Amino acid sequence: QVQLVESGGGLVQAGGSLRLSCVASGRTFSRIYMAWFRQSPGKEREFVATINWSGDYTYYADSVKGRFSISRDNAKNTVSLQMNSLKPEDTAVYFCATGNVRSVGRGGYDYWGQGTQVTVSS
C-alpha cells in the first residue's frame, strides 16, 4: 500500500510561482512512476506531468511544458511540482499519483492523494 499526501497549494497572482510537494509512505520507490494531475470544476481530471524513479524520464502536458517542472527526492520519499508563470487557467485541485507504467491516463495510476487547491488570480 502507498499513501500520498500533497501540500503547497494556495492563492497566487498570475505570473507567480508555487511549489507543490507530495510525500509518499507505506512502500519505497523503486521502478515506479509518479505523476501530477489536476481537476477544475466541471472538467475531467487531466494529466500534468510524470517522472520515473531515477528521474531521467519526465513528460509534461503541452499546456504546462516550459512552465512546470517535476522532480523527486527518493531519500525523502517526495515528489515536487515547481509551477512558474502561473495562469488563471492553471486553477485546479492538484493530485499526486503513482503507478508502474508510463501513462498520461488516470488508469495508469493506482494510488492517489487527496489533492491540494491551487488558485491563480488574474
Side-chain angles (χ1 to χ4, degrees), residues 20 47 105:
L20 306 183
F47 170 81

Side-chain angles (χ1 to χ4, degrees), residues 31-42:
R31 191 183 58 81
I32 59 174
Y33 293 82
M34 302 294 296
W36 288 95
F37 285 72
R38 65 187 183 184
Q39 186 170 22
S40 57

Side-chain angles (χ1 to χ4, degrees), residues 59-80:
Y59 183 76
Y60 300 90
D62 288 342
S63 59
V64 306
K65 192 172 185 178
R67 299 188 298 120
F68 291 10
S69 180
I70 188 171
S71 62
R72 67 192 299 170
D73 184 341
N74 293 336
K76 297 181 179 180
N77 294 325
T78 301
V79 176
S80 298

